[in-house]
Amino acid sequence: LSGHKAIAFTILWALSRDPVFFQNEPPLPSAIPRTLEKIAKEQPIRILAMQPYDGILSSVFAKIAPGSSIVITPWEVIGRSIDEIESPVPRVWDKDYDLVFITVPAGTGQESEEHFVHGYSRMLGDLLRFGSQKWDLIAVTASLATTLDKDWRRRDGMAKILLRGVDLAPLEGRGGSIEAATQTLREWLKEQL
């Protein structure tokens, strides 16, 4: 996490007086160990997915994991504010999902950039509680499935910074369409296998 890197820098500098920089270290690779284990055992996989990926994932998993039963719960986000998107997160902890799939679609809400960043950050904090992680988490940038205007390119960039700050490597691309997003997602999941 970004805060942990800053603390490590301070400790190493205090001990050695040699600056050590972690800013350029890439995030840990996105890993989906729970999901992969379920695929290997051909067990049902319970997924919570933000729109539009709730509709995409069933066809993607059918091709890469034909022996696994997929149960997808849609997380409605289109046309909602970041507060409305974030509000169901505490209830997610009571469920037994194997995979949570997040993205904040372009055009979501009309709040200020500052409010967007705070809401997105709170959502990530709630989904990535310290301790034992209950599910795998895949984060996707809005630009993967949508062509973005200038304002949303900035927000997409902010989301990438926040995701990298919690050591998530966002799945991104320049597809700008559902078809391109489906292809990118299929290829990425195949690489994980």
Side-chain angles (χ1 to χ4, degrees), residues 93-169:
W93 276 90
D94 297 333
K95 309 292 184 197
D96 290 323
Y97 294 112
D98 302 303
L99 175 63
V100 175
F101 199 94
I102 64 168
T103 188
V104 176
T108 300
Q110 299 302 315
E111 60 274 315
S112 69
E113 286 182 353
E114 181 179 3
H115 190 82
F116 172 82
V117 167
H118 286 291
Y120 199 90
S121 183
R122 280 190 313 266
M123 180 182 68
L124 287 174
D126 286 344
L127 287 170
L128 295 168
R129 289 185 176 174
F130 288 106
S132 177
Q133 190 64 27
K134 294 178 71 168
W135 49 69
D136 295 332
L137 181 65
I138 298 175
V140 179
T141 62
S143 58
L144 186 60
T146 310
T147 301
L148 304 178
D149 63 20
K150 180 181 173 186
D151 181 46
W152 267 94
R153 279 194 303 273
R154 281 183 46 81
R155 288 178 188 225
D156 206 42
M158 289 180 234
K160 289 176 194 177
I161 291 168
L162 291 170
L163 290 166
R164 289 186 183 113
V166 294
D167 289 331
L168 279 175

Coordinates of all heavy atoms in Angstrom, one line a residue, residues 93-169:
W93 N -20.0 -7.8 2.8 CA -19.2 -8.6 3.8 C -20.0 -9.7 4.3 O -19.4 -10.7 4.8 CB -18.6 -7.7 4.9 CG -17.4 -7.1 4.4 CD1 -17.2 -5.9 3.7 CD2 -16.1 -7.7 4.4 NE1 -15.9 -5.7 3.4 CE2 -15.2 -6.8 3.8 CE3 -15.6 -8.9 4.9 CZ2 -13.8 -7.0 3.7 CZ3 -14.2 -9.1 4.8 CH2 -13.4 -8.2 4.2
D94 N -21.3 -9.7 4.3 CA -22.2 -10.7 4.8 C -22.4 -11.9 3.8 O -23.0 -12.9 4.1 CB -23.5 -10.2 5.3 CG -23.4 -9.2 6.4 OD1 -22.4 -9.3 7.2 OD2 -24.2 -8.3 6.5
K95 N -21.9 -11.7 2.6 CA -22.1 -12.6 1.5 C -20.9 -13.5 1.3 O -19.8 -13.1 1.8 CB -22.5 -11.9 0.2 CG -23.6 -10.9 0.3 CD -24.9 -11.5 0.6 CE -26.0 -10.5 0.6 NZ -27.2 -10.9 1.2
D96 N -21.0 -14.6 0.7 CA -19.9 -15.5 0.4 C -19.5 -15.4 -1.0 O -19.5 -16.5 -1.8 CB -20.3 -16.9 0.8 CG -20.4 -17.1 2.3 OD1 -19.6 -16.5 3.0 OD2 -21.3 -17.9 2.7
Y97 N -19.1 -14.3 -1.5 CA -18.6 -14.2 -2.9 C -17.2 -14.7 -3.0 O -16.4 -14.6 -2.1 CB -18.7 -12.7 -3.3 CG -20.1 -12.1 -3.4 CD1 -20.5 -11.2 -2.6 CD2 -21.0 -12.6 -4.4 CE1 -21.8 -10.7 -2.6 CE2 -22.3 -12.1 -4.5 CZ -22.7 -11.2 -3.6 OH -23.9 -10.7 -3.7
D98 N -16.9 -15.2 -4.2 CA -15.6 -15.7 -4.5 C -14.8 -14.6 -5.2 O -13.6 -14.5 -5.1 CB -15.6 -17.0 -5.3 CG -16.4 -18.1 -4.6 OD1 -16.0 -18.5 -3.5 OD2 -17.4 -18.6 -5.2
L99 N -15.5 -13.8 -6.0 CA -14.9 -12.8 -6.8 C -15.8 -11.6 -6.8 O -17.0 -11.6 -6.9 CB -14.8 -13.3 -8.2 CG -14.3 -12.4 -9.3 CD1 -12.8 -11.9 -9.0 CD2 -14.3 -13.0 -10.7
V100 N -15.2 -10.4 -6.5 CA -15.9 -9.1 -6.6 C -15.2 -8.4 -7.8 O -14.0 -8.3 -7.8 CB -15.8 -8.3 -5.3 CG1 -16.4 -7.0 -5.5 CG2 -16.5 -9.1 -4.2
F101 N -16.0 -7.9 -8.7 CA -15.5 -7.2 -9.9 C -16.0 -5.8 -9.9 O -17.2 -5.5 -10.0 CB -16.1 -8.0 -11.1 CG -15.4 -7.8 -12.4 CD1 -14.4 -8.7 -12.8 CD2 -15.7 -6.7 -13.2 CE1 -13.7 -8.5 -14.0 CE2 -15.1 -6.5 -14.4 CZ -14.1 -7.4 -14.8
I102 N -15.1 -4.9 -9.8 CA -15.5 -3.5 -9.7 C -15.0 -2.6 -10.9 O -13.9 -2.8 -11.4 CB -15.0 -2.8 -8.4 CG1 -13.4 -2.8 -8.3 CG2 -15.6 -3.5 -7.2 CD1 -12.9 -1.9 -7.2
T103 N -15.8 -1.6 -11.2 CA -15.5 -0.6 -12.1 C -16.5 0.6 -11.8 O -17.5 0.3 -11.3 CB -15.6 -1.0 -13.6 OG1 -15.1 0.0 -14.5 CG2 -17.0 -1.4 -14.0
V104 N -16.1 1.8 -12.1 CA -17.0 2.9 -12.0 C -17.2 3.4 -13.4 O -16.3 4.0 -13.9 CB -16.5 3.9 -11.0 CG1 -17.5 5.1 -11.0 CG2 -16.4 3.4 -9.6
P105 N -18.4 3.1 -14.0 CA -18.6 3.5 -15.4 C -18.5 5.0 -15.6 O -18.9 5.8 -14.7 CB -20.0 3.0 -15.7 CG -20.3 2.0 -14.6 CD -19.5 2.4 -13.4
A106 N -18.1 5.4 -16.7 CA -18.0 6.9 -17.0 C -19.5 7.4 -17.0 O -20.4 6.8 -17.3 CB -17.5 7.1 -18.4
G107 N -19.5 8.7 -16.5 CA -20.8 9.3 -16.4 C -21.5 9.1 -15.1 O -22.6 9.6 -14.9
T108 N -20.9 8.3 -14.2 CA -21.6 8.0 -12.9 C -21.6 9.3 -12.1 O -20.6 9.9 -11.8 CB -20.7 6.9 -12.2 OG1 -20.7 5.8 -13.0 CG2 -21.3 6.6 -10.9
G109 N -22.8 9.7 -11.7 CA -23.0 10.8 -10.9 C -22.4 12.1 -11.4 O -21.7 12.1 -12.4
Q110 N -22.7 13.2 -10.8 CA -22.1 14.5 -11.2 C -21.4 15.2 -10.1 O -21.2 16.4 -10.1 CB -23.3 15.4 -11.7 CG -24.0 14.8 -12.9 CD -23.1 14.5 -14.1 OE1 -22.3 15.4 -14.5 NE2 -23.2 13.3 -14.7
E111 N -20.9 14.4 -9.1 CA -20.2 15.0 -8.0 C -18.9 15.6 -8.4 O -18.4 15.3 -9.5 CB -20.0 14.0 -6.9 CG -19.2 12.7 -7.2 CD -20.1 11.6 -7.9 OE1 -21.1 11.3 -7.4 OE2 -19.6 11.1 -8.9
S112 N -18.3 16.4 -7.6 CA -17.0 16.9 -7.8 C -15.9 15.9 -7.9 O -16.1 14.7 -7.4 CB -16.6 18.0 -6.7 OG -16.4 17.3 -5.5
E113 N -14.8 16.2 -8.5 CA -13.7 15.2 -8.5 C -13.2 14.8 -7.1 O -13.0 13.7 -6.9 CB -12.5 15.8 -9.3 CG -12.7 15.9 -10.8 CD -11.5 16.4 -11.5 OE1 -10.5 16.9 -10.9 OE2 -11.6 16.3 -12.8
E114 N -13.2 15.8 -6.2 CA -12.8 15.5 -4.8 C -13.7 14.5 -4.2 O -13.3 13.6 -3.5 CB -12.7 16.8 -4.0 CG -12.3 16.6 -2.6 CD -12.2 17.9 -1.8 OE1 -12.6 18.9 -2.3 OE2 -11.8 17.8 -0.6
H115 N -15.0 14.7 -4.4 CA -16.0 13.8 -3.8 C -15.9 12.4 -4.4 O -16.0 11.4 -3.8 CB -17.4 14.4 -4.0 CG -18.5 13.7 -3.3 ND1 -18.8 13.9 -2.0 CD2 -19.3 12.7 -3.7 CE1 -19.7 13.1 -1.6 NE2 -20.1 12.3 -2.6
F116 N -15.7 12.4 -5.7 CA -15.5 11.1 -6.4 C -14.3 10.4 -5.8 O -14.4 9.2 -5.5 CB -15.2 11.4 -7.9 CG -14.8 10.1 -8.7 CD1 -15.8 9.2 -9.1 CD2 -13.5 9.8 -9.0 CE1 -15.4 8.1 -9.8 CE2 -13.1 8.7 -9.7 CZ -14.1 7.8 -10.1
V117 N -13.1 11.1 -5.7 CA -11.9 10.4 -5.1 C -12.2 9.9 -3.7 O -11.8 8.8 -3.4 CB -10.7 11.4 -5.1 CG1 -9.6 10.9 -4.3 CG2 -10.3 11.7 -6.6
H118 N -12.8 10.7 -2.9 CA -13.1 10.2 -1.5 C -14.1 9.0 -1.5 O -13.8 8.1 -0.7 CB -13.7 11.4 -0.7 CG -12.7 12.4 -0.3 ND1 -11.7 12.2 0.6 CD2 -12.6 13.7 -0.7 CE1 -11.0 13.3 0.8 NE2 -11.4 14.2 0.0
G119 N -15.1 9.1 -2.3 CA -16.0 7.9 -2.4 C -15.4 6.7 -2.9 O -15.6 5.6 -2.4
Y120 N -14.6 6.8 -4.0 CA -13.9 5.7 -4.6 C -12.9 5.1 -3.5 O -12.8 3.9 -3.4 CB -13.2 6.1 -5.8 CG -12.8 5.0 -6.8 CD1 -13.7 4.6 -7.8 CD2 -11.6 4.3 -6.7 CE1 -13.4 3.6 -8.6 CE2 -11.3 3.3 -7.5 CZ -12.2 2.9 -8.5 OH -11.8 1.9 -9.4
S121 N -12.2 6.0 -2.9 CA -11.3 5.5 -1.8 C -11.9 4.8 -0.7 O -11.5 3.7 -0.2 CB -10.5 6.7 -1.3 OG -9.5 6.4 -0.4
R122 N -13.1 5.3 -0.2 CA -13.8 4.6 0.8 C -14.3 3.3 0.4 O -14.2 2.3 1.1 CB -15.0 5.5 1.3 CG -14.7 6.6 2.2 CD -16.0 7.2 2.8 NE -17.0 7.5 1.8 CZ -17.2 8.7 1.1 NH1 -16.4 9.7 1.4 NH2 -18.1 8.9 0.3
M123 N -14.8 3.2 -0.9 CA -15.3 1.9 -1.4 C -14.1 0.9 -1.4 O -14.3 -0.3 -1.0 CB -15.8 2.1 -2.8 CG -16.3 0.8 -3.4 SD -16.9 1.0 -5.1 CE -15.4 1.4 -6.0
L124 N -12.9 1.3 -1.9 CA -11.8 0.4 -1.9 C -11.4 0.0 -0.5 O -11.1 -1.2 -0.3 CB -10.6 1.0 -2.6 CG -10.7 1.2 -4.1 CD1 -9.5 2.0 -4.6 CD2 -10.8 -0.2 -4.8
G125 N -11.4 0.9 0.4 CA -11.1 0.6 1.8 C -12.0 -0.4 2.4 O -11.6 -1.3 3.1
D126 N -13.3 -0.3 2.1 CA -14.3 -1.2 2.6 C -14.2 -2.6 1.9 O -14.4 -3.6 2.6 CB -15.7 -0.7 2.4 CG -16.1 0.4 3.3 OD1 -15.3 0.6 4.4 OD2 -17.0 1.1 3.1
L127 N -13.8 -2.6 0.7 CA -13.7 -3.9 0.0 C -12.4 -4.6 0.3 O -12.3 -5.9 0.2 CB -13.7 -3.7 -1.6 CG -15.1 -3.4 -2.1 CD1 -15.0 -3.0 -3.6 CD2 -16.1 -4.5 -2.0
L128 N -11.4 -3.9 0.7 CA -10.1 -4.5 1.0 C -9.7 -4.3 2.5 O -8.7 -3.8 2.9 CB -9.0 -3.8 0.2 CG -9.1 -4.0 -1.3 CD1 -8.2 -3.0 -2.0 CD2 -8.8 -5.4 -1.7
R129 N -10.6 -4.8 3.3 CA -10.3 -4.7 4.8 C -9.1 -5.5 5.1 O -8.7 -6.5 4.5 CB -11.5 -5.3 5.6 CG -12.7 -4.5 5.5 CD -13.8 -5.0 6.4 NE -14.9 -4.2 6.4 CZ -16.1 -4.5 7.0 NH1 -16.2 -5.6 7.6 NH2 -17.1 -3.6 7.0
F130 N -8.4 -5.0 6.2 CA -7.2 -5.7 6.6 C -7.6 -7.0 7.3 O -8.7 -7.2 7.7 CB -6.5 -4.8 7.7 CG -5.8 -3.6 7.0 CD1 -6.3 -2.4 7.2 CD2 -4.6 -3.8 6.2 CE1 -5.6 -1.3 6.6 CE2 -4.0 -2.8 5.6 CZ -4.5 -1.5 5.8
G131 N -6.7 -7.9 7.3 CA -7.0 -9.2 7.8 C -7.2 -10.2 6.7 O -6.7 -10.0 5.5
S132 N -7.9 -11.2 6.9 CA -8.1 -12.2 5.9 C -9.1 -11.7 4.8 O -10.2 -11.4 5.1 CB -8.7 -13.5 6.6 OG -9.0 -14.4 5.6
Q133 N -8.6 -11.7 3.6 CA -9.5 -11.2 2.5 C -10.5 -12.3 2.2 O -10.1 -13.5 2.0 CB -8.6 -10.9 1.3 CG -9.3 -10.2 0.2 CD -9.9 -8.9 0.5 OE1 -9.3 -8.2 1.4 NE2 -10.9 -8.5 -0.1
K134 N -11.8 -12.0 2.1 CA -12.8 -12.9 1.9 C -13.0 -13.3 0.4 O -13.7 -14.3 0.1 CB -14.1 -12.4 2.5 CG -14.1 -12.2 4.0 CD -15.4 -11.7 4.5 CE -16.5 -12.7 4.4 NZ -17.7 -12.3 5.1
W135 N -12.5 -12.5 -0.5 CA -12.8 -12.8 -1.9 C -11.6 -12.2 -2.8 O -10.8 -11.4 -2.3 CB -14.1 -12.1 -2.4 CG -14.2 -10.7 -2.0 CD1 -13.4 -9.6 -2.5 CD2 -15.0 -10.1 -1.0 NE1 -13.7 -8.5 -1.8 CE2 -14.7 -8.7 -0.9 CE3 -16.0 -10.6 -0.2 CZ2 -15.4 -7.9 -0.1 CZ3 -16.7 -9.8 0.7 CH2 -16.4 -8.4 0.7
D136 N -11.6 -12.7 -4.0 CA -10.7 -12.1 -5.0 C -11.3 -10.8 -5.5 O -12.6 -10.6 -5.5 CB -10.5 -13.0 -6.2 CG -9.8 -14.3 -5.8 OD1 -9.0 -14.3 -4.9 OD2 -10.1 -15.3 -6.5
L137 N -10.5 -9.9 -5.9 CA -11.0 -8.6 -6.4 C -10.3 -8.2 -7.7 O -9.1 -8.2 -7.8 CB -10.7 -7.5 -5.3 CG -11.2 -6.1 -5.7 CD1 -12.7 -6.0 -5.7 CD2 -10.7 -5.1 -4.6
I138 N -11.1 -8.0 -8.7 CA -10.6 -7.5 -10.0 C -11.2 -6.1 -10.2 O -12.4 -5.8 -10.0 CB -11.1 -8.4 -11.1 CG1 -10.6 -9.8 -11.0 CG2 -10.7 -7.8 -12.5 CD1 -11.1 -10.7 -12.1
A139 N -10.3 -5.1 -10.5 CA -10.7 -3.8 -10.7 C -10.4 -3.5 -12.2 O -9.4 -3.8 -12.8 CB -9.9 -2.8 -9.9
V140 N -11.4 -2.8 -12.8 CA -11.3 -2.5 -14.2 C -11.5 -1.0 -14.4 O -12.4 -0.4 -13.8 CB -12.4 -3.2 -15.0 CG1 -12.4 -2.9 -16.5 CG2 -12.3 -4.7 -14.8
T141 N -10.7 -0.4 -15.3 CA -10.9 1.1 -15.5 C -12.1 1.3 -16.4 O -12.5 0.4 -17.2 CB -9.7 1.7 -16.2 OG1 -9.4 1.1 -17.4 CG2 -8.4 1.5 -15.3
A142 N -12.7 2.5 -16.3 CA -13.9 2.8 -17.1 C -13.5 2.8 -18.6 O -14.4 2.5 -19.4 CB -14.4 4.2 -16.7
S143 N -12.3 3.2 -18.9 CA -11.9 3.3 -20.3 C -11.8 2.0 -21.1 O -11.8 2.0 -22.3 CB -10.5 4.0 -20.4 OG -9.5 3.2 -19.7
L144 N -11.9 0.9 -20.4 CA -11.9 -0.4 -21.0 C -13.1 -0.7 -21.9 O -13.1 -1.2 -23.0 CB -11.7 -1.6 -20.0 CG -11.5 -2.9 -20.6 CD1 -10.3 -3.0 -21.5 CD2 -11.4 -4.0 -19.5
A145 N -14.3 -0.2 -21.3 CA -15.5 -0.5 -22.0 C -16.2 0.7 -22.6 O -17.2 0.6 -23.3 CB -16.5 -1.2 -21.1
T146 N -15.6 1.9 -22.4 CA -16.3 3.1 -22.8 C -15.3 4.1 -23.3 O -14.2 4.2 -22.8 CB -17.0 3.8 -21.5 OG1 -17.8 2.8 -20.9 CG2 -17.8 5.0 -21.9
T147 N -15.7 4.9 -24.3 CA -14.8 6.0 -24.8 C -15.1 7.1 -23.9 O -16.3 7.5 -23.6 CB -15.2 6.4 -26.3 OG1 -15.0 5.2 -27.1 CG2 -14.3 7.5 -26.8
L148 N -14.0 7.7 -23.3 CA -14.2 8.7 -22.3 C -14.0 10.1 -22.8 O -13.1 10.4 -23.7 CB -13.2 8.5 -21.2 CG -13.2 7.1 -20.5 CD1 -12.1 7.0 -19.5 CD2 -14.6 6.8 -19.9
D149 N -14.8 11.1 -22.2 CA -14.5 12.5 -22.5 C -13.4 13.0 -21.6 O -12.9 12.2 -20.8 CB -15.8 13.3 -22.4 CG -16.3 13.3 -21.0 OD1 -15.6 13.0 -20.0 OD2 -17.5 13.7 -20.8
K150 N -13.0 14.2 -21.8 CA -11.8 14.8 -21.1 C -12.0 14.7 -19.5 O -11.1 14.3 -18.8 CB -11.6 16.2 -21.5 CG -10.5 16.9 -20.8 CD -10.4 18.4 -21.2 CE -9.4 19.1 -20.4 NZ -9.3 20.5 -20.7
D151 N -13.2 15.0 -19.1 CA -13.5 15.0 -17.6 C -13.4 13.5 -17.1 O -12.7 13.3 -16.0 CB -14.9 15.5 -17.3 CG -15.2 15.5 -15.8 OD1 -14.3 16.0 -15.0 OD2 -16.3 15.1 -15.5
W152 N -13.9 12.6 -17.8 CA -13.8 11.2 -17.3 C -12.5 10.5 -17.5 O -12.1 9.6 -16.8 CB -15.0 10.3 -17.9 CG -16.1 10.4 -16.9 CD1 -17.1 11.3 -17.0 CD2 -16.2 9.7 -15.7 NE1 -17.9 11.1 -15.9 CE2 -17.4 10.1 -15.1 CE3 -15.5 8.6 -15.2 CZ2 -17.8 9.6 -13.9 CZ3 -15.9 8.1 -14.0 CH2 -17.1 8.6 -13.3
R153 N -11.7 11.0 -18.4 CA -10.3 10.6 -18.5 C -9.5 10.9 -17.3 O -8.7 10.2 -16.8 CB -9.6 11.1 -19.8 CG -9.9 10.4 -21.1 CD -9.0 10.7 -22.2 NE -9.0 12.1 -22.6 CZ -9.8 12.7 -23.4 NH1 -10.8 12.0 -24.0 NH2 -9.7 14.0 -23.6
R154 N -9.8 12.2 -16.8 CA -9.1 12.6 -15.5 C -9.6 11.7 -14.4 O -8.8 11.2 -13.5 CB -9.5 14.0 -15.2 CG -8.7 15.0 -16.0 CD -9.0 16.5 -15.6 NE -9.1 16.8 -14.2 CZ -8.0 17.0 -13.4 NH1 -6.8 16.9 -13.9 NH2 -8.2 17.2 -12.1
R155 N -10.9 11.4 -14.3 CA -11.4 10.5 -13.2 C -10.9 9.1 -13.3 O -10.5 8.5 -12.3 CB -12.9 10.6 -13.1 CG -13.5 11.9 -12.6 CD -15.0 11.9 -12.7 NE -15.4 13.2 -12.4 CZ -16.4 13.5 -11.5 NH1 -17.0 12.6 -10.9 NH2 -16.7 14.8 -11.3
D156 N -10.8 8.6 -14.5 CA -10.2 7.3 -14.8 C -8.8 7.3 -14.3 O -8.3 6.3 -13.7 CB -10.3 7.0 -16.3 CG -10.4 5.5 -16.6 OD1 -11.1 4.8 -15.9 OD2 -9.7 5.1 -17.5
G157 N -8.0 8.3 -14.6 CA -6.7 8.4 -14.1 C -6.6 8.4 -12.6 O -5.7 7.8 -12.0
M158 N -7.5 9.1 -12.0 CA -7.5 9.2 -10.5 C -7.8 7.8 -9.9 O -7.2 7.4 -8.9 CB -8.5 10.2 -10.0 CG -8.2 11.6 -10.2 SD -9.4 12.7 -9.6 CE -9.8 13.7 -11.0
A159 N -8.8 7.1 -10.6 CA -9.1 5.8 -10.1 C -7.9 4.8 -10.2 O -7.6 4.0 -9.3 CB -10.3 5.2 -10.9
K160 N -7.1 5.0 -11.3 CA -5.9 4.1 -11.5 C -4.9 4.4 -10.3 O -4.3 3.5 -9.8 CB -5.2 4.4 -12.8 CG -6.0 3.9 -14.0 CD -5.3 4.3 -15.3 CE -6.2 4.1 -16.5 NZ -5.6 4.6 -17.7
I161 N -4.7 5.7 -10.0 CA -3.8 6.0 -8.9 C -4.3 5.4 -7.6 O -3.5 4.8 -6.8 CB -3.7 7.5 -8.8 CG1 -2.9 8.1 -10.0 CG2 -3.0 7.9 -7.5 CD1 -3.0 9.6 -10.1
L162 N -5.6 5.5 -7.3 CA -6.1 4.9 -6.1 C -6.0 3.4 -6.1 O -5.6 2.8 -5.0 CB -7.6 5.3 -5.9 CG -7.9 6.8 -5.6 CD1 -9.4 7.1 -5.7 CD2 -7.3 7.2 -4.3
L163 N -6.2 2.8 -7.2 CA -6.1 1.3 -7.3 C -4.6 0.9 -7.1 O -4.4 -0.1 -6.3 CB -6.6 0.8 -8.6 CG -8.1 0.9 -8.8 CD1 -8.5 0.7 -10.2 CD2 -8.8 -0.1 -7.9
R164 N -3.7 1.6 -7.7 CA -2.3 1.2 -7.5 C -1.9 1.5 -6.1 O -1.0 0.8 -5.5 CB -1.5 2.0 -8.5 CG -1.6 1.4 -9.9 CD -0.7 2.1 -10.9 NE -1.0 1.6 -12.2 CZ -1.5 2.3 -13.2 NH1 -1.7 3.6 -13.0 NH2 -1.7 1.7 -14.4
G165 N -2.5 2.5 -5.4 CA -2.2 2.8 -4.0 C -2.6 1.7 -3.1 O -2.0 1.6 -2.0
V166 N -3.5 0.8 -3.5 CA -3.8 -0.3 -2.6 C -3.3 -1.6 -3.2 O -3.8 -2.7 -3.0 CB -5.4 -0.4 -2.3 CG1 -5.8 0.8 -1.5 CG2 -6.2 -0.5 -3.6
D167 N -2.3 -1.5 -4.1 CA -1.6 -2.6 -4.7 C -2.5 -3.5 -5.6 O -2.3 -4.7 -5.7 CB -0.9 -3.5 -3.7 CG 0.4 -2.8 -3.1 OD1 0.9 -1.9 -3.8 OD2 0.7 -3.0 -2.0
L168 N -3.4 -2.8 -6.2 CA -4.2 -3.5 -7.3 C -3.8 -3.0 -8.6 O -3.7 -1.8 -8.8 CB -5.7 -3.2 -7.1 CG -6.5 -4.0 -6.0 CD1 -7.9 -3.4 -5.9 CD2 -6.5 -5.4 -6.4
A169 N -3.5 -3.9 -9.5 CA -3.1 -3.6 -10.9 C -4.5 -3.6 -11.7 O -5.0 -4.6 -11.9 CB -2.2 -4.5 -11.5

